[in-house]
Amino acid sequence: MKTKATIQDIADRAGVSISTVSRVLRGSAPVAENKRLAVQEAIATLNYQPNLFASSLASGQSRTIGILTQDISSPVLDLMLRSVLQGLDQSDYAPIIADGYWQAQREQAAVQLLLNLQVDGLVVVGGSVPEPFLHQVAERLPLMVIGRNLPTLPDHCLYLDNFLGGYQATRYLLDRGHTRVVHLTGLLSHVDAQDRKQGYLQALADAGIAYDPALVVQGNFLEQSGQLGMEMLLEAGVNFSAVFAANDQMAFGARLSIGTAVVCPRMCR
Amino acid sequence: MKTKATIQDIADRAGVSISTVSRVLRGSAPVAENKRLAVQEAIATLNYQPNLFASSLASGQSRTIGILTQDISSPVLDLMLRSVLQGLDQSDYAPIIADGYWQAQREQAAVQLLLNLQVDGLVVVGGSVPEPFLHQVAERLPLMVIGRNLPTLPDHCLYLDNFLGGYQATRYLLDRGHTRVVHLTGLLSHVDAQDRKQGYLQALADAGIAYDPALVVQGNFLEQSGQLGMEMLLEAGVNFSAVFAANDQMAFGARLSIGTAVVCPRMCR
DNA sequence: TTGTACGCGTTATCAC
DNA sequence: GTGATAACGCGTACAA
């Protein structure tokens, strides 16, 4: 194919220098009206697309911001991602997404790629990149971490209080009179899951209710584990009247098992 | 912060020229063992990261491939995306993701960004970018479209036969003796949803079963619409014994309503 | 095998 | 206002 048009091509066609073209492109300095029009005409007819690489190389700015995401099938993370993208709509920064799929190694490579792409800023949604690594990143460019709490980078985190969430959810159920509340935990190797469980335990303690290990079933944040956990409880004939699932997906799964198995008599709703 | 190390820095530290450094970096030509080691040492200690922009600008290759995705909360699309990423693991191409969120305009901008990023190839997962536009893309670089059928670009599509899927699903239920099969449709403005519905209709016709509009409920591919659709049917007292939902999410939703509403007597499983 | 020098497409700093 | 021209960091003939 014909090689794409360069800034020189449109400079020629408009009868000006490349400097002028660059100026109308970036609006970095005033340009005579007639020349500006000529340039814009040339840009349009030649369908000129400035080479981001060359531009970034010269300016040191890429006008892009990098986003590190995780396995977006999670509704919450997806919502976060969507919000970030929406926020970027207003700006003239383009979002570049890289996915870590919850694997630290892969995440690190993804971040490295984004850095090599010279993103002007980085948004990390969830994930498990080592904190020290993020620390290094933070001192090189603007960094924002969503859904994670980094003790050494408090100002860079948009944090969800998992402990409080677990506490309030459990408390809510206790307040409605339930005394035997099941907790389907998330992946306990994940700090979020631990915190939510701690919240659950604390709520029980505050209510003066003894902790019964039989009511806590380990899951992994996915639908299946929620369903499986419920079925185990029901089959085992464990007595309970309410369930606090670690996340929406597990709640969905748990909800499913109610249809197939014998419904726990005192289960409300 | 100190500016990142350049190829010159490590050339100095290793006592060689930048050409040699480039050579060991790209393996484009043999290099003396001792020099190679010196270079590698320098790279390691200086934590050198080649500037992708400069590299691509000079070579015309970016060693990246672009991926256009849609609202990944869809399990199927997510699976596709995951597969693509996995395939790329083996290669030394890095994936750059851009999201279109099912909005043609946004998608086009996303593709444009990827093109400006000089991706060496493009994978489009679903989406609604105009076909002519993709046609232009296809003649500029390798293109692959997943989950969509472009008549003019058959060789570039990994296509799911929605009609056949709808047909077989319905046929499966009919073969098991069901005669009143509900269809919860997807978003009917979407061609996939239309095709699946056509498959449903064709299967009915082939089985000599009259089409009953009361058995078809419109949805939008999301969980809620599946649940809502089922509840409407149950409340209306419509008689049926099986359900064909347009996708997994709607089936999930439908499944949920069974727990809360009166279970349809002849509903199996 | 290795180094020199030029080019990639833009931006930015100058003089004019 | 406008146009040369030097970076930007790296790949790569070409020469040695």
Side-chain angles (χ1 to χ4, degrees), chain A residues 102-163:
Chain A
W102 290 115
Q103 297 167 32
Q105 186 188 359
R106 203 184 288 241
E107 282 179 46
Q108 207 144 343
V111 171
Q112 202 54 261
L113 171 67
L114 292 175
L115 291 183
N116 289 349
L117 247 23
Q118 308 270 138
V119 293
D120 294 334
L122 182 61
V123 177
V124 174
V125 181
S128 44
V129 199
E131 183 158 356
F133 181 67
L134 287 180
H135 218 285
Q136 286 182 21
V137 173
E139 55 192 34
R140 275 192 40 193
L141 45 69
L143 169 70
M144 197 74 229
V145 178
I146 304 182
R148 204 171 147 193
N149 188 26
L150 305 177
T152 65
L153 293 170
D155 297 340
H156 296 263
C157 296
L158 214 52
Y159 176 55
L160 190 66
D161 192 334
N162 290 291
F163 176 85

Side-chain angles (χ1 to χ4, degrees), chain A residues 74-87:
Chain A
S74 156
V76 185
L77 292 184
D78 182 59
L79 189 60
M80 290 180 178
L81 173 60
R82 197 181 308 227
S83 306
V84 172
L85 292 180
Q86 198 169 331

